[in-house]
Amino acid sequence: MTTLRCVLMLVALAGATFAGPEVTELKTEVVSVPEGCTTKSKHGDMLTMHYTGTLDDGHKFDSSYDRDQPFTFQIGVGQVIKGWDQGLLDMCVGEKRKLTIPASLGYGERGAGNVIPPHATLHFEVELINIGDSPPATNVFKEIDADKDNMLSREEVSIELAFQAMDTDRDGELSREEVSDYLKKQMVPADGGEVSEDIKQMLESHDKLVEEIFQHEDKDKNGFISHEEFSGPKHDEL
């Protein structure tokens, strides 16, 4: 499970700048294909990708290269945006592509927090690292052992318990509503006692706090924080 300490801080965008005509269809450009390709990606495969994502104005909003950590997901089951589900099919290991994804196959009219503006066309440079047949089996100990030292610290167990407490619908990922509800419960005394001035200020900026958490934690920018992405919150952040 990755930690917040390794996440690249993203710069908030103050609106969209569009260059050229509006993109309405997915465009896929094959940059390079390795020789001797015998296996290609198909629906249901587990793909491991490296990628860099930019907006029309060239602003880079995310990159697995910057984190030195490729992204693994199952294609064709809705784990990623539709532009990826469609644009990464029939791809060979080692192949590189450029995807131009219209808003209708990306984040639509809502965008994604302060990172992806509404109606944004997305540009991705992608490289397929590996193709797997099925999702890997879950090793609970390894998921909790964030620092990979084969021991579980109090902090690591606390983070796991926090995820379970937030994930009220038990779907393995956190929505903005789940994170918001959890934070409010942590801020307000259960016994109805007096709320401190610091907590009052945090409650007033509650929505901003939730968005900041998603900017840090939602690495694939799909609007949800998966178990793998989750790394907090820490008590000192509350």
Side-chain angles (χ1 to χ4, degrees):
M1 183 171 62
T2 57
T3 65
L4 186 59
R5 301 180 184 88
C6 298
V7 177
L8 177 67
M9 292 289 289
L10 298 173
V11 179
L13 298 175
T17 301
F18 295 96
E22 180 183 1
V23 175
T24 58
E25 296 181 354
L26 173 67
K27 297 180 181 179
T28 303
E29 175 188 348
V30 177
V31 176
S32 63
V33 181
E35 296 183 1
C37 174
T38 58
T39 302
K40 295 185 177 183
S41 59
K42 63 184 184 303
H43 283 288
D45 283 342
M46 294 299 298
L47 304 187
T48 299
M49 311 288 304
H50 260 311
Y51 67 91
T52 295
T54 58
L55 301 175
D56 270 340
D57 61 3
H59 176 83
K60 180 171 63 175
F61 58 84
D62 193 17
S63 175
S64 64
Y65 291 103
D66 290 347
R67 295 189 297 272
D68 193 26
Q69 181 180 14
F71 174 58
T72 299
F73 67 99
Q74 188 173 16
I75 191 170
V77 297
Q79 291 185 358
V80 292
I81 57 176
K82 293 180 180 179
W84 271 37
D85 268 343
Q86 297 177 19
L88 302 179
L89 290 171
D90 298 317
M91 197 170 180
C92 302
V93 173
E95 182 177 336
K96 297 181 179 181
R97 291 183 181 181
K98 291 183 179 180
L99 305 180
T100 302
I101 301 175
S104 60
L105 299 179
Y107 296 98
E109 61 184 18
R110 296 185 60 183
N114 294 324
V115 181
I116 308 295
H119 306 287
T121 297
L122 307 178
H123 303 268
F124 284 97
E125 295 183 5
V126 298
E127 178 183 2
L128 181 56
I129 305 300
N130 185 62
I131 299 176
D133 295 330
S134 60
T138 300
N139 184 316
V140 176
F141 184 95
K142 288 185 177 181
E143 286 192 352
I144 300 176
D145 184 24
D147 58 11
K148 308 306 179 188
D149 63 352
N150 291 320
M151 295 184 292
L152 299 183
S153 67
R154 292 179 184 273
E155 180 183 9
E156 288 169 335
V157 174
S158 177
I159 290 173
E160 174 66 18
L161 293 176
F163 183 92
Q164 297 300 331
M166 289 188 199
D167 187 22
T168 55
D169 59 7
R170 298 294 182 262
D171 63 352
E173 57 186 13
L174 304 180
S175 67
R176 280 177 168 79
E177 290 76 14
E178 288 173 328
V179 173
S180 177
D181 290 345
Y182 178 85
L183 291 179
K184 287 179 180 178
K185 290 178 181 178
Q186 298 300 307
M187 293 178 187
V188 179
D191 59 3
E194 184 177 353
V195 177
S196 68
E197 288 300 320
D198 288 341
I199 296 299
K200 287 181 180 179
Q201 292 180 7
M202 293 191 72
L203 286 171
E204 290 175 358
S205 60
H206 176 75
D207 291 342
K208 181 180 179 181
L209 177 60
V210 173
E211 287 304 316
E212 288 178 351
I213 289 173
F214 269 78
Q215 285 186 37
H216 291 296
E217 301 282 286
D218 183 19
K219 298 176 182 64
D220 60 7
K221 308 308 174 194
N222 69 345
F224 295 90
I225 300 173
S226 68
H227 187 281
E228 180 181 7
E229 294 169 327
F230 182 71
S231 67
K234 313 296 187 300
H235 291 295
D236 57 5
E237 293 175 355
L238 300 178

